[in-house]
Amino acid sequence: MRAVTFSEFGGPEVLAVSELPDREPGPGQVRIRVAAATVNPTDLGFRSGRQSAQLTGLEPPYIPGMELAGEIDAVGTGSDWRPGDKVMAIVIPRRPEGGAMAQTVVVPAASVAPAPKTASAEQTATIPMNGLTVRLALDLLALKPGDTLAVTGAAGAVGAYAVQLGAAEGLRVIAVASPSDEEFLKSIGAETVVARGDGAVQGIRALVPGGVDGLVDAAVIGAPILPAIRDGGALAAVRGWQGDSERDIAIHVVQVSRYSENQAALARLGKMVDEGKLTLRVAETFPPERAAEAHKRLEAGGVRGRLVVVF
Ligand SMILES: NC(=O)c1ccc[n+]([C@@H]2O[C@H](COP(=O)([O-])OP(=O)(O)OC[C@H]3O[C@@H](n4cnc5c(N)ncnc54)[C@H](OP(=O)(O)O)[C@@H]3O)[C@@H](O)[C@H]2O)c1
């Protein structure tokens, strides 16, 4: 099978397409013939060496990619999946089998859920990683219907799922983003949009003088966003947390690997798509040979919708 790989850390130019042997699924695993896999910010960190501490004992070539859509190709013992089932899956790439960006990928059966019937493979591939990240973030924040949720980086992948899942749960969502993203964010459920930048905290406090109940910090603003949250509120941090909190605000560090075998949550996300409750966004598709171009585009910023490699 062909896979997007890298054998040394560096810029997008280290990415190559390699021919590697197909792996056989073991007990409780399935092999997926991949139709589409996405490029996420974490792939840039993996490729550049920022995550090298987590690669101890793993030999290159490495395969990036944390989510995919495709079709079940082979089934290990103890799994109910059948060859030909259309599926999506989350993949943890820092393992001997590598990540999602390959023609065939072996994953635990519990990391797989049915693909929504109403979406293309390219769209479906954008669901698992960021959808499950937001599911975990909202579970950790544990807000009640009617509570206020602010979302930084709201126009990004994590941010837009936070807006949509938050609104679907009856939260009053304040999106922090560029004014040019306002129309889109309101169309997917944001009650109000506050302009990103230095005035964001003031903008949120103008709408909710006591501060919001919870905040998903998808733009990784960190401590400077805390004043937007009420005393005793909560923040979901998606890239760890340095330093202290304040005013009894709970900091929840989100690591999607915790939900990498939460099949029920992944299946619910797919169902939401079929019910018209989740909008999927693809910015552009690339063949595997142009994966480096997709990495460059994501690195440059300003992408709306995910960049997807099609196999
Ligand atoms: N811990 C986990 O398990 C986990 C899982 C998934 C993702 N993540 C992390 O979550 C973060 C977001 O991922 P993503 O895929 O959503 O990235 P993304 O699609 O690139 O979205 C980030 C968004 O934030 C915007 N932004 C940047 N600075 C901002 C600011 N100061 N105020 C408001 N918006 C701002 C960006 O706008 P521009 O494009 O215009 O700059 C972009 O729309 C990344 O750091 C990623 O690594 C963590």
Side-chain angles (χ1 to χ4, degrees), residues 38-40 126 155-157 160 181 184 280-284 297-298 302-308:
T38 64
V39 178
N40 282 287
T126 69
D181 291 311
F184 165 69
L280 308 177
R281 294 179 301 159
V282 173
E284 195 177 338
R297 273 207 61 196
L298 186 61
V303 179
R304 296 292 176 267
R306 205 86 289 182
L307 304 166
V308 182

mmCIF file of all heavy atoms in Angstrom, residues 38-40 126 155-157 160 181 184 280-284 297-298 302-308:
data_model
loop_
_atom_site.group_PDB
_atom_site.id
_atom_site.type_symbol
_atom_site.label_atom_id
_atom_site.label_comp_id
_atom_site.label_asym_id
_atom_site.label_seq_id
_atom_site.Cartn_x
_atom_site.Cartn_y
_atom_site.Cartn_z
ATOM 1 N N THR A 38 -7.467 13.446 6.572
ATOM 2 C CA THR A 38 -7.321 14.912 6.656
ATOM 3 C C THR A 38 -5.941 15.329 7.175
ATOM 4 O O THR A 38 -5.216 14.526 7.765
ATOM 5 C CB THR A 38 -8.354 15.498 7.628
ATOM 6 O OG1 THR A 38 -8.043 14.978 8.925
ATOM 7 C CG2 THR A 38 -9.768 15.119 7.240
ATOM 8 N N VAL A 39 -5.639 16.613 6.974
ATOM 9 C CA VAL A 39 -4.422 17.207 7.541
ATOM 10 C C VAL A 39 -4.851 18.143 8.671
ATOM 11 O O VAL A 39 -5.659 19.057 8.459
ATOM 12 C CB VAL A 39 -3.642 18.010 6.470
ATOM 13 C CG1 VAL A 39 -2.407 18.648 7.088
ATOM 14 C CG2 VAL A 39 -3.266 17.104 5.305
ATOM 15 N N ASN A 40 -4.324 17.899 9.859
ATOM 16 C CA ASN A 40 -4.666 18.680 11.048
ATOM 17 C C ASN A 40 -3.421 19.339 11.630
ATOM 18 O O ASN A 40 -2.293 18.902 11.355
ATOM 19 C CB ASN A 40 -5.267 17.742 12.108
ATOM 20 C CG ASN A 40 -6.709 17.402 11.812
ATOM 21 O OD1 ASN A 40 -7.596 18.228 11.980
ATOM 22 N ND2 ASN A 40 -6.940 16.184 11.331
ATOM 23 N N THR A 126 -13.484 14.448 7.914
ATOM 24 C CA THR A 126 -13.240 15.615 8.784
ATOM 25 C C THR A 126 -13.917 15.469 10.151
ATOM 26 O O THR A 126 -13.769 16.334 11.001
ATOM 27 C CB THR A 126 -13.757 16.920 8.132
ATOM 28 O OG1 THR A 126 -15.194 16.890 8.084
ATOM 29 C CG2 THR A 126 -13.209 17.114 6.730
ATOM 30 N N ALA A 155 -13.864 29.726 14.011
ATOM 31 C CA ALA A 155 -13.993 29.416 12.576
ATOM 32 C C ALA A 155 -13.154 28.210 12.166
ATOM 33 O O ALA A 155 -13.248 27.740 11.039
ATOM 34 C CB ALA A 155 -13.592 30.634 11.750
ATOM 35 N N GLY A 156 -12.307 27.703 13.084
ATOM 36 C CA GLY A 156 -11.465 26.541 12.779
ATOM 37 C C GLY A 156 -12.256 25.248 12.937
ATOM 38 O O GLY A 156 -13.466 25.262 13.205
ATOM 39 N N ALA A 157 -11.558 24.121 12.786
ATOM 40 C CA ALA A 157 -12.236 22.822 12.832
ATOM 41 C C ALA A 157 -12.785 22.536 14.228
ATOM 42 O O ALA A 157 -13.974 22.249 14.392
ATOM 43 C CB ALA A 157 -11.274 21.723 12.388
ATOM 44 N N ALA A 160 -15.519 25.293 15.190
ATOM 45 C CA ALA A 160 -16.843 25.197 14.560
ATOM 46 C C ALA A 160 -17.627 24.001 15.101
ATOM 47 O O ALA A 160 -18.850 24.070 15.236
ATOM 48 C CB ALA A 160 -16.708 25.125 13.045
ATOM 49 N N ASP A 181 -16.035 35.950 9.444
ATOM 50 C CA ASP A 181 -16.586 34.606 9.687
ATOM 51 C C ASP A 181 -17.950 34.663 10.391
ATOM 52 O O ASP A 181 -18.526 33.619 10.700
ATOM 53 C CB ASP A 181 -15.610 33.777 10.533
ATOM 54 C CG ASP A 181 -14.349 33.418 9.769
ATOM 55 O OD1 ASP A 181 -14.467 32.943 8.629
ATOM 56 O OD2 ASP A 181 -13.242 33.626 10.307
ATOM 57 N N PHE A 184 -21.137 32.868 8.722
ATOM 58 C CA PHE A 184 -21.039 31.407 8.797
ATOM 59 C C PHE A 184 -21.306 30.931 10.226
ATOM 60 O O PHE A 184 -22.083 29.993 10.452
ATOM 61 C CB PHE A 184 -19.652 30.929 8.327
ATOM 62 C CG PHE A 184 -19.367 29.505 8.710
ATOM 63 C CD1 PHE A 184 -20.076 28.461 8.115
ATOM 64 C CD2 PHE A 184 -18.432 29.198 9.695
ATOM 65 C CE1 PHE A 184 -19.845 27.139 8.490
ATOM 66 C CE2 PHE A 184 -18.200 27.878 10.068
ATOM 67 C CZ PHE A 184 -18.906 26.844 9.466
ATOM 68 N N LEU A 280 -20.229 19.914 7.620
ATOM 69 C CA LEU A 280 -18.848 19.463 7.391
ATOM 70 C C LEU A 280 -18.214 20.350 6.324
ATOM 71 O O LEU A 280 -18.859 20.684 5.327
ATOM 72 C CB LEU A 280 -18.849 17.996 6.936
ATOM 73 C CG LEU A 280 -19.640 17.046 7.833
ATOM 74 C CD1 LEU A 280 -19.642 15.635 7.244
ATOM 75 C CD2 LEU A 280 -19.057 17.030 9.252
ATOM 76 N N ARG A 281 -16.954 20.714 6.540
ATOM 77 C CA ARG A 281 -16.315 21.673 5.621
ATOM 78 C C ARG A 281 -15.000 21.117 5.068
ATOM 79 O O ARG A 281 -14.076 20.810 5.817
ATOM 80 C CB ARG A 281 -16.012 22.972 6.374
ATOM 81 C CG ARG A 281 -17.268 23.704 6.825
ATOM 82 C CD ARG A 281 -16.915 24.956 7.569
ATOM 83 N NE ARG A 281 -16.117 24.702 8.744
ATOM 84 C CZ ARG A 281 -15.357 25.598 9.352
ATOM 85 N NH1 ARG A 281 -15.275 26.824 8.886
ATOM 86 N NH2 ARG A 281 -14.667 25.275 10.435
ATOM 87 N N VAL A 282 -14.923 21.022 3.757
ATOM 88 C CA VAL A 282 -13.687 20.620 3.072
ATOM 89 C C VAL A 282 -13.177 21.841 2.312
ATOM 90 O O VAL A 282 -13.903 22.423 1.502
ATOM 91 C CB VAL A 282 -13.950 19.454 2.098
ATOM 92 C CG1 VAL A 282 -12.720 19.144 1.265
ATOM 93 C CG2 VAL A 282 -14.405 18.219 2.873
ATOM 94 N N ALA A 283 -11.925 22.239 2.573
ATOM 95 C CA ALA A 283 -11.380 23.408 1.870
ATOM 96 C C ALA A 283 -10.860 23.005 0.502
ATOM 97 O O ALA A 283 -11.112 23.684 -0.491
ATOM 98 C CB ALA A 283 -10.254 24.028 2.696
ATOM 99 N N GLU A 284 -10.131 21.880 0.446
ATOM 100 C CA GLU A 284 -9.502 21.469 -0.813
ATOM 101 C C GLU A 284 -9.058 20.018 -0.670
ATOM 102 O O GLU A 284 -8.747 19.567 0.433
ATOM 103 C CB GLU A 284 -8.279 22.364 -1.070
ATOM 104 C CG GLU A 284 -7.757 22.285 -2.483
ATOM 105 C CD GLU A 284 -6.584 23.251 -2.728
ATOM 106 O OE1 GLU A 284 -6.431 24.239 -1.980
ATOM 107 O OE2 GLU A 284 -5.821 22.979 -3.669
ATOM 108 N N ARG A 297 -0.124 24.850 3.247
ATOM 109 C CA ARG A 297 -1.329 25.701 3.296
ATOM 110 C C ARG A 297 -1.850 25.817 4.720
ATOM 111 O O ARG A 297 -2.225 26.885 5.182
ATOM 112 C CB ARG A 297 -2.433 25.126 2.408
ATOM 113 C CG ARG A 297 -2.312 25.618 0.983
ATOM 114 C CD ARG A 297 -3.662 25.624 0.286
ATOM 115 N NE ARG A 297 -4.631 26.495 0.925
ATOM 116 C CZ ARG A 297 -5.950 26.457 0.713
ATOM 117 N NH1 ARG A 297 -6.446 25.598 -0.121
ATOM 118 N NH2 ARG A 297 -6.758 27.290 1.336
ATOM 119 N N LEU A 298 -1.866 24.699 5.445
ATOM 120 C CA LEU A 298 -2.370 24.745 6.826
ATOM 121 C C LEU A 298 -1.442 25.593 7.690
ATOM 122 O O LEU A 298 -1.900 26.386 8.515
ATOM 123 C CB LEU A 298 -2.511 23.324 7.397
ATOM 124 C CG LEU A 298 -3.155 23.245 8.778
ATOM 125 C CD1 LEU A 298 -4.588 23.798 8.753
ATOM 126 C CD2 LEU A 298 -3.186 21.807 9.294
ATOM 127 N N GLY A 302 -5.353 30.771 7.964
ATOM 128 C CA GLY A 302 -6.426 31.338 7.157
ATOM 129 C C GLY A 302 -7.258 30.316 6.396
ATOM 130 O O GLY A 302 -8.178 30.705 5.678
ATOM 131 N N VAL A 303 -6.969 29.010 6.565
ATOM 132 C CA VAL A 303 -7.759 27.990 5.858
ATOM 133 C C VAL A 303 -9.117 27.861 6.555
ATOM 134 O O VAL A 303 -9.182 27.815 7.776
ATOM 135 C CB VAL A 303 -7.030 26.628 5.865
ATOM 136 C CG1 VAL A 303 -7.866 25.564 5.164
ATOM 137 C CG2 VAL A 303 -5.667 26.741 5.216
ATOM 138 N N ARG A 304 -10.177 27.797 5.780
ATOM 139 C CA ARG A 304 -11.512 27.557 6.345
ATOM 140 C C ARG A 304 -12.016 26.243 5.789
ATOM 141 O O ARG A 304 -12.181 26.099 4.590
ATOM 142 C CB ARG A 304 -12.468 28.702 5.977
ATOM 143 C CG ARG A 304 -12.058 30.048 6.585
ATOM 144 C CD ARG A 304 -12.227 30.028 8.107
ATOM 145 N NE ARG A 304 -11.770 31.259 8.741
ATOM 146 C CZ ARG A 304 -10.546 31.458 9.227
ATOM 147 N NH1 ARG A 304 -9.627 30.493 9.151
ATOM 148 N NH2 ARG A 304 -10.237 32.592 9.802
ATOM 149 N N GLY A 305 -12.240 25.274 6.653
ATOM 150 C CA GLY A 305 -12.552 23.911 6.208
ATOM 151 C C GLY A 305 -11.254 23.129 6.193
ATOM 152 O O GLY A 305 -10.162 23.703 6.215
ATOM 153 N N ARG A 306 -11.372 21.800 6.158
ATOM 154 C CA ARG A 306 -10.175 20.965 6.292
ATOM 155 C C ARG A 306 -9.560 20.651 4.928
ATOM 156 O O ARG A 306 -10.243 20.610 3.910
ATOM 157 C CB ARG A 306 -10.602 19.668 6.983
ATOM 158 C CG ARG A 306 -9.504 18.962 7.738
ATOM 159 C CD ARG A 306 -9.261 19.409 9.145
ATOM 160 N NE ARG A 306 -8.645 20.712 9.302
ATOM 161 C CZ ARG A 306 -8.321 21.252 10.461
ATOM 162 N NH1 ARG A 306 -8.522 20.598 11.575
ATOM 163 N NH2 ARG A 306 -7.774 22.446 10.534
ATOM 164 N N LEU A 307 -8.250 20.441 4.931
ATOM 165 C CA LEU A 307 -7.516 20.000 3.744
ATOM 166 C C LEU A 307 -7.491 18.474 3.789
ATOM 167 O O LEU A 307 -7.148 17.891 4.825
ATOM 168 C CB LEU A 307 -6.102 20.587 3.776
ATOM 169 C CG LEU A 307 -6.096 22.123 3.896
ATOM 170 C CD1 LEU A 307 -4.709 22.641 4.257
ATOM 171 C CD2 LEU A 307 -6.583 22.764 2.610
ATOM 172 N N VAL A 308 -7.873 17.847 2.682
ATOM 173 C CA VAL A 308 -8.109 16.405 2.701
ATOM 174 C C VAL A 308 -7.282 15.718 1.617
ATOM 175 O O VAL A 308 -7.283 16.161 0.457
ATOM 176 C CB VAL A 308 -9.615 16.111 2.469
ATOM 177 C CG1 VAL A 308 -9.889 14.608 2.531
ATOM 178 C CG2 VAL A 308 -10.473 16.847 3.502
#
